[in-house]
Amino acid sequence: MEITELIRHDIFDLFENGCIEQIYFGSDKKYFYPYYGRLKEIDFLKRIYPLENMVTTDERFNNVDEEMWQHTINNDTWGGFLMTLGLT
């Protein structure tokens, strides 16, 4: 079975935005399901990508790991990293 483009985008929307359970006669509940589970996002990505060996285009850093650390831990300027990679 193949996952269609539409379903793939729906899955990424769920990870990025969560979902809202409509509760009648009360306030709605929002659930968030991060794709990285209970890990920190950068730790999850280190498990599936060799970040220390990946070349960065930013000459201030030696590798993608250093660049990610700067933009996700030191300064939260990237937001969700997989979305930045354009994998959605």
Side-chain angles (χ1 to χ4, degrees):
M1 182 176 168
E2 184 178 324
I3 296 176
T4 66
E5 184 83 11
L6 179 63
I7 297 299
R8 189 165 54 95
H9 283 283
D10 286 344
I11 291 169
F12 275 102
D13 285 346
L14 176 64
F15 286 146
E16 188 173 20
N17 304 319
C19 67
I20 297 174
E21 176 185 15
Q22 292 182 337
I23 300 174
Y24 299 102
F25 307 112
S27 58
D28 294 344
K29 280 181 110 173
K30 184 169 185 173
Y31 296 96
F32 179 68
Y33 302 99
Y35 69 88
Y36 44 88
R38 294 180 182 181
L39 298 173
K40 291 183 180 176
E41 186 175 27
I42 194 167
D43 293 331
F44 172 78
L45 292 171
K46 283 181 179 184
R47 289 176 152 213
I48 58 176
Y49 295 108
L51 301 179
E52 289 106 9
N53 300 327
M54 295 173 71
V55 178
T56 177
T57 57
D58 190 331
E59 57 191 40
R60 296 176 296 169
F61 307 103
N62 295 316
N63 55 45
V64 169
D65 184 46
E66 291 178 8
E67 184 178 8
M68 275 187 58
W69 187 268
Q70 176 63 33
H71 292 292
T72 61
I73 305 299
N74 292 340
N75 304 324
D76 189 14
T77 54
W78 277 1
F81 188 70
L82 280 183
M83 308 315 162
T84 304
L85 285 175
L87 299 178
T88 58

